[in-house]
Amino acid sequence: MELYPTREGFLGELAKGFTFLEVARIAAGFGQKLLEEGKGEVVVGYDARFLAREMAEEAAGVLSGMGLKAHLLQGPAPFPLFGYALWTKKAAGLYLTASRKPPRFQGVKLRLEAGRPLPGEALALPEAPPEARGGYALLDLRKAYLAHLVESAGELKDRPGVVYLDAMGGAGGGVLGKALQALGLKAELRELHPLPHPLFYGVDPDPRPENLKTLLALLKAQEPPTLGLALDGDADRLPPPPAGGGAAGGEPVREEEVLEALRKARGEVQGDGEGGFLFPGHLPEKDPYLAALLLLGVLL
């Protein structure tokens, strides 16, 4: 399969349509677009996929070589953290991910700014990338993002119970537990597959029931109150059950119940029907962690 454009960037199969050469071409085309729009700063991030860090380094080098101030997020970094970096630094962004696709795929999500995706078709890719590679700064905003997440969560109902979260070996492990600890909540988090894994522990990082057999088995055996959640590969979604396999008290929760619960806890929230929840006033990008925190107080 060849490289092809998407609504947010590009997607291809590793070593076929998606190679280091194509990454450099995309970065060059994106860099030219940013220069034309008067943008001077760009953040590069990546998920847990094979060679994602190395490809992100290549992209950052190309962008820097074109005269842009480039930052490389230390990672793998969940997509909400990437969005937070763009938002706070008022920067454009390039993020290496194929989201929920099988491990053999890779792609890029492009942002002119936080919340402003750039379709791949909007770029003119050069036949060959520039030879120059520049230096870039490493960026670590995990503590700052966590503090912002905790502040956005505000006062939550503190209910005891067990929360299972399957991070699926993607970029999203570890964040929710730190947020629960910072908030001092009683809920016990049991995280499955929290460490990044380039093959996602043998399943596609798409939180469908067929890919969440361990989580679903644990939920059936657990006494309520229990909540089961899962993240996709780049951790920008918290797929609503039953498609995502979430459960409260061992019983599936319908999608409309999830959206109603979030509105009850937060007020204004925008859902895309696929587990993506955007909270105005928090971030201009989707954030599954804030959604998860809000759900604890109403579904446990």
Side-chain angles (χ1 to χ4, degrees), residues 3 5 9-10 22-34 36 62 66 110 118-130:
L3 183 74
F10 292 90
E22 294 305 311
V23 169
R25 291 179 65 228
I26 292 169
F30 184 50
Q32 184 58 42
K33 178 72 172 177
L34 297 182
E36 291 171 359
V62 170
M66 297 178 71
L110 304 174
L118 180 69
E121 293 179 346
L123 288 188
L125 302 186
E127 289 189 13

Side-chain angles (χ1 to χ4, degrees), residues 166-187:
D166 194 342
M168 303 198 77
V175 176
L176 187 59
K178 291 179 180 178
L180 288 173
Q181 184 178 19
L183 288 163
L185 299 181
K186 297 176 182 176

Side-chain angles (χ1 to χ4, degrees), residues 153-173:
E155 294 292 329
L156 299 175
K157 291 182 179 179
D158 192 9
R159 296 183 176 180
V162 175
V163 180
Y164 285 98
L165 175 68
D166 194 342
M168 303 198 77

Side-chain angles (χ1 to χ4, degrees), residues 162-178 180 188-195 214-215 218 229 231 289:
V162 175
V163 180
Y164 285 98
L165 175 68
D166 194 342
M168 303 198 77
V175 176
L176 187 59
K178 291 179 180 178
L180 288 173
E188 177 190 352
L189 178 66
R190 299 176 183 176
E191 200 162 6
L192 308 178
H193 311 110
L195 298 179
T214 300
L215 173 63
L218 289 169
L229 303 169
L231 299 168
Y289 300 112

Side-chain angles (χ1 to χ4, degrees), residues 3 20 61 69 89 121 139 150 157 178 200 203 220 226 253 264 267 275 287 293:
L3 183 74
F20 277 89
K69 185 177 181 180
K89 300 192 76 65
E121 293 179 346
L139 184 63
V150 170
K157 291 182 179 179
K178 291 179 180 178
F200 306 104
V203 300
K220 288 180 181 178
T226 306
V253 181
K264 179 181 178 181
D287 194 329
L293 290 172

Side-chain angles (χ1 to χ4, degrees), residues 28-225:
F30 184 50
Q32 184 58 42
K33 178 72 172 177
L34 297 182
L35 292 172
E36 291 171 359
E37 296 217 355
K39 305 283 186 180
E41 200 160 357
V42 60
V43 174
V44 179
Y46 56 95
D47 69 2
R49 289 170 186 269
F50 181 64
L51 293 177
R53 176 177 60 83
E54 291 83 354
M55 288 183 166
E57 292 171 342
E58 172 72 352
V62 170
L63 291 164
S64 177
M66 297 178 71
L68 292 155
K69 185 177 181 180
H71 307 269
L72 180 66
L73 270 179
Q74 296 189 45
F79 199 79
L81 174 57
F82 173 73
Y84 177 79
L86 304 192
W87 182 55
T88 55
K89 300 192 76 65
K90 297 180 173 58
L94 182 155
Y95 184 87
L96 272 291
T97 184
S99 192
R100 293 170 285 177
K101 291 288 186 180
R104 69 180 185 276
F105 290 92
Q106 183 56 289
V108 294
K109 289 183 178 180
L110 304 174
R111 293 290 189 271
L112 291 173
E113 59 187 24
R116 189 182 170 195
L118 180 69
E121 293 179 346
L123 288 188
L125 302 186
E127 289 189 13
E131 294 184 3
R133 299 291 184 274
Y136 49 83
L138 295 178
L139 184 63
D140 186 356
L141 293 176
R142 290 180 182 271
K143 290 184 178 179
Y145 165 72
L146 181 64
H148 178 68
L149 174 63
V150 170
E151 182 181 3
S152 292
E155 294 292 329
L156 299 175
K157 291 182 179 179
D158 192 9
R159 296 183 176 180
V162 175
V163 180
Y164 285 98
L165 175 68
D166 194 342
M168 303 198 77
V175 176
L176 187 59
K178 291 179 180 178
L180 288 173
Q181 184 178 19
L183 288 163
L185 299 181
K186 297 176 182 176
E188 177 190 352
L189 178 66
R190 299 176 183 176
E191 200 162 6
L192 308 178
H193 311 110
L195 298 179
H197 193 287
L199 297 179
F200 306 104
Y201 297 95
V203 300
D204 297 345
D206 185 359
R208 298 177 180 273
E210 59 267 28
N211 297 328
L212 298 170
K213 293 179 180 179
T214 300
L215 173 63
L216 294 176
L218 289 169
L219 289 173
K220 288 180 181 178
Q222 183 68 38
E223 294 294 325

